[in-house]
Amino acid sequence: MYVLFLVISLFISKPEVVVLEPFGFSERMQQSENYLLIDTRRVEKYCNSRLYGAEWCGSKKMLRDIVKHIDKHTDIFVYCSIGKSSKKATRQLIRMGFINVYELKGGFPLWSELGFPVNNIPLSDDEICNDVINVNE
């Protein structure tokens, strides 16, 4: 019985996070017809600069809210500064049943260092960022 379980488990593959260098990350996003891009850095960093089209996510609850109506086959791209928070988020997405989850290796610093497009326009009228700016002033 145990041997049968082992054989069956070899053929049942569960989704895994795909970690991509910036070039692969960018290429995969361009190839995707429908995707979600999530920034898991500290909110202050997100408010100052971010990848174009990124949504900020600062907690597990926020992540659940962001993806609650998203199809499980949607490509989801996640990045942070050093890989810690994006790794947590991508693991949670896999546990939630998402199949196409991508993490940016090297995070935002490497992305911008290599010259990929970055939105450097500060968000001051955004509800989340407005609260941060008011607190920091």
Side-chain angles (χ1 to χ4, degrees):
M1 190 68 164
Y2 180 71
V3 173
L4 179 62
F5 172 76
L6 288 176
V7 171
I8 291 172
S9 65
L10 288 174
F11 293 101
I12 299 174
S13 63
K14 66 179 189 178
E16 293 184 12
V17 174
V18 177
V19 180
L20 298 171
E21 303 277 345
F23 292 100
F25 196 83
S26 174
E27 186 176 280
R28 184 67 185 103
M29 276 197 299
Q30 290 173 10
Q31 293 171 350
S32 180
E33 293 181 19
N34 182 30
Y35 70 87
L36 175 64
L37 177 60
I38 299 174
D39 184 330
T40 61
R41 297 175 302 150
R42 290 190 348 246
V43 68
E44 301 85 12
K45 291 186 177 204
Y46 170 81
C47 292
N48 287 322
S49 59
R50 70 215 70 76
L51 273 61
Y52 284 95
E55 288 190 42
W56 180 70
C57 178
S59 69
K60 288 180 179 181
K61 182 186 180 321
M62 284 181 75
L63 185 60
R64 284 191 302 270
D65 289 345
I66 289 170
V67 301
K68 67 182 170 189
H69 299 295
I70 302 291
D71 181 273
K72 299 292 185 191
H73 291 87
T74 300
D75 292 338
I76 302 180
F77 297 87
V78 184
Y79 70 93
C80 67
S81 291
I82 59 171
K84 187 176 179 181
S85 62
S86 61
K87 188 165 297 307
K88 287 179 182 179
T90 56
R91 286 180 181 163
Q92 181 180 356
L93 289 164
I94 293 294
R95 283 192 304 271
M96 293 169 70
F98 289 92
I99 296 168
N100 305 314
V101 181
Y102 305 92
E103 181 181 2
L104 176 59
K105 184 175 184 178
F108 185 85
L110 183 57
W111 177 274
S112 59
E113 181 182 313
L114 292 174
F116 285 96
V118 172
N119 186 345
N120 286 316
I121 301 171
L123 291 173
S124 58
D125 60 346
D126 183 88
E127 182 179 321
I128 296 167
C129 297
N130 194 19
D131 291 343
V132 171
I133 290 168
N134 289 337
V135 168
N136 291 332
E137 289 180 347

